[in-house]
Amino acid sequence: MLNTDVMQELWDRAFSSHILSVIPKECSLCVTEPLMNPSKLQKNLVQLAFEYYGFQSLYIGTAPQLAHYDQVCAPNTSLFSPCGSVVVDAGAVNSLFCWLFSCPSPP
């Protein structure tokens, strides 16, 4: 999100007792971001998460990374090959296709 004030307003509403009832100081935060997100926007997100809300920890990843991680960590339910997968992040404006590898390194 380009405007930090708008992002803060959205997070305030989402974390409020009316919606999610989150106490940031007692939680960790996992955020997805677009591929090749500008570092300035990521820096603003980190500042907001730690300095304003006081989350305990923060993980920032792309949606394809998280989708692949979920499949690798839950092998009994995985639809993907254990060696890698193609993840499609289909959005309203654009779609991203990522090939993710998880094969062990050759000896």
Side-chain angles (χ1 to χ4, degrees), residues 63-74:
Q65 286 173 321
L66 291 177
H68 183 69
Y69 177 80
D70 177 57
Q71 294 302 319
V72 170
C73 289

Side-chain angles (χ1 to χ4, degrees), residues 14-88:
F15 300 151
S16 74
S17 60
H18 301 295
I19 299 177
L20 295 175
S21 194
V22 170
I23 301 170
K25 291 179 178 17
E26 298 176 3
C27 300
S28 294
L29 181 63
C30 178
V31 176
T32 60
E33 68 177 357
L35 295 170
M36 297 181 284
N37 196 29
S39 59
K40 181 179 187 240
L41 297 179
Q42 191 176 72
K43 182 180 175 184
N44 291 343
L45 187 140
V46 170
Q47 280 183 314
L48 190 62
F50 288 121
E51 295 176 16
Y52 182 79
Y53 290 103
F55 279 97
Q56 292 179 0
S57 62
L58 171 66
Y59 174 80
I60 301 173
T62 64
Q65 286 173 321
L66 291 177
H68 183 69
Y69 177 80
D70 177 57
Q71 294 302 319
V72 170
C73 289
N76 294 335
T77 61
S78 179
L79 299 175
F80 296 110
S81 161
C83 192
S85 58
V86 175
V87 178
V88 179

